[in-house]
Each structure stands twice: as structure tokens, then as C-alpha cells.
Amino acid sequence: MNWNELNTVSQLEQIREESKEKPVVIFKHSTRCSTSRMVLDRLERNWKPEELGHVKAYFLDLISYREVSNQIAEQFDIEHESPQLLIISDGKAIYDRSHLGIDYHQIREELKN
């Protein structure tokens, strides 16, 4: 999986703009959480570029960049959770799942629409 690092608040405006052209995924990962590690591993194993090559994926280490995580919650009007995956389209969060609710097959279906 080809992650783009998300580590500044200023990138959130860029993500909003990018999402007007193609869907953007944000994965919020806690390096202190075994569930987060398991979900990340499962997502990376299942991610197929031939199915989701049109999606730009961002990775946020929310322990190191907590301020960015807080801004995501505020700007996209979602409750902070970890691990958490969001799909941003047309500048808005259209999909938000956390913990074991993060499922590649559901993500793929959502991104087909």
C-alpha cells in the first residue's frame, strides 16, 4: 500500500481539495494499540491497487501528531477514535469506521459508488 504521510494541519485543506477530484482515505493509527496494528496489517494485506488505484491514502500517526488528529475530528465533524478510517469525498467525510469495523471489502464497496 502506498501511504502518504499526514503530519501537518495544513495538509487537511490540501486533502479537501484533492477529494474534489478523487476519493481520499485517512487512516488514523495509534502506535500504542495492538488493535490498531492488527487493523492496519489487515488493511495493507487486502488493499489491491488494481481495485483502488484511484484513491489517495494518507497515514496519520496520531500519537506523534495528535493536533492533526484533533483537527480532523473538528474539520470533518467526526468523533475521534483510534484506529479510525475516513473516506473524504467532495471535501466531506462520507465514511467513518473504527476498530474492527474497518473492513477492506466495505471500503471497496463504498469507493465504487
Side-chain angles (χ1 to χ4, degrees):
M1 190 162 177
N2 188 19
W3 290 111
N4 296 279
E5 286 191 31
L6 174 54
N7 50 29
T8 66
V9 170
S10 63
Q11 286 176 278
L12 297 178
E13 186 55 38
Q14 174 188 336
I15 287 170
R16 279 187 189 278
E17 290 304 311
E18 288 174 343
S19 77
K20 293 176 183 175
E21 300 297 320
K22 62 182 176 180
V24 174
V25 165
I26 298 174
F27 183 79
K28 294 169 50 179
H29 174 62
S30 171
T31 55
R32 297 180 187 156
C33 173
S34 61
T35 300
S36 190
R37 180 80 247 169
M38 179 188 67
V39 170
L40 176 61
D41 288 343
R42 187 176 65 182
L43 182 63
E44 289 179 331
R45 274 194 322 272
N46 287 295
W47 192 273
K48 292 176 181 52
E50 63 274 12
E51 294 177 340
L52 298 178
H54 66 291
V55 177
K56 188 160 185 182
Y58 284 89
F59 179 90
L60 173 65
D61 172 348
L62 65 88
I63 301 298
S64 297
Y65 303 103
R66 182 61 189 217
E67 178 186 357
V68 178
S69 181
N70 291 341
Q71 282 298 308
I72 289 170
E74 184 176 317
Q75 289 187 24
F76 293 106
D77 194 30
I78 52 107
E79 186 175 328
H80 163 77
E81 296 190 68
S82 165
Q84 187 172 35
L85 186 132
L86 299 118
I87 297 173
I88 311 298
S89 182
D90 291 323
K92 298 179 182 127
I94 62 164
Y95 180 91
D96 167 26
R97 297 294 184 277
S98 68
H99 297 83
L100 299 177
I102 298 171
D103 179 75
Y104 174 78
H105 301 290
Q106 289 179 349
I107 294 164
R108 184 186 64 206
E109 289 305 309
E110 187 67 35
L111 288 166
K112 282 184 179 178
N113 299 331

